Amino acid sequence: MEIIRPARVEDALGIAHVHIDSWRTTYKGMVPDDYLANLSYERNAQNRTRILGDPETKTRMYVAQDDTGRIVGFVNGGPERENDPIYKSELYAIYLFKECQGRGLGRRLTQALVEGLLSDGMYAMLVWVLADNPSRRFYEALGGQELRTKPIEIGGATLEEVAYGWQDIRGLTNIG
């Protein structure tokens, strides 16, 4: 049984592997192949190390760890990044290795993040997801309401993102 716990600096490389490997499986055919091929575990891990090592960070990050100690998923979030007047917090990213999806880990990771956001006094949350990402149904299953769309440029391609929002995330504390 995987455990969900707050991420630590020493988890940075494991988180980077989940992030990049998930991008390569989930976004193949959506995001340009050369962009996916050039993602760097080392650069990603350096960014994670910086965030996790910053005592002033407002970002919360949690990992799913399997019985062997391997990081198999993560979630991070914090203050909403575009000054939305209603949605004061944001789920920035949630990824699991493909073989770990569909087992409730995403719900458990989301619940951990929500509990952290609530302890920071944030009650409304949004998430941006690529419109073509089949995993966006996950947010709908959690009760997220489609709010709006916007274009995003990734690797020279213009894609569309969809925002899902929850005006009161307290209901997400018992979804595990």
Side-chain angles (χ1 to χ4, degrees), residues 66-166:
D66 71 11
D67 294 340
T68 69
R70 181 175 80 129
I71 304 299
V72 298
F74 79 95
V75 66
N76 69 337
E80 194 272 335
R81 296 175 285 191
E82 296 179 356
N83 296 314
D84 188 284
I86 296 169
Y87 300 92
K88 298 299 183 189
S89 68
E90 183 176 349
L91 189 161
Y92 303 147
I94 182 169
Y95 291 103
L96 296 161
F97 284 133
K98 191 169 189 66
E99 68 270 16
C100 297
Q101 295 175 7
R103 302 192 330 223
L105 282 177
R107 288 177 179 267
R108 291 174 56 209
L109 283 165
T110 301
Q111 184 175 0
L113 176 65
V114 163
E115 289 170 359
L117 295 173
L118 288 170
S119 73
D120 290 339
M122 293 183 262
Y123 298 94
M125 176 179 78
L126 61 73
V127 61
W128 288 98
V129 59
L130 287 178
D132 291 337
N133 183 346
S135 297
R136 70 185 263 197
R137 305 295 171 237
F138 170 75
Y139 305 110
E140 294 170 2
L142 293 180
Q145 301 298 306
E146 191 172 322
L147 302 174
R148 59 186 169 272
T149 62
K150 70 177 180 182
I152 183 173
E153 189 273 325
I154 300 176
T158 300
L159 307 171
E160 183 174 274
E161 279 189 315
V162 177
Y164 286 92
W166 295 262

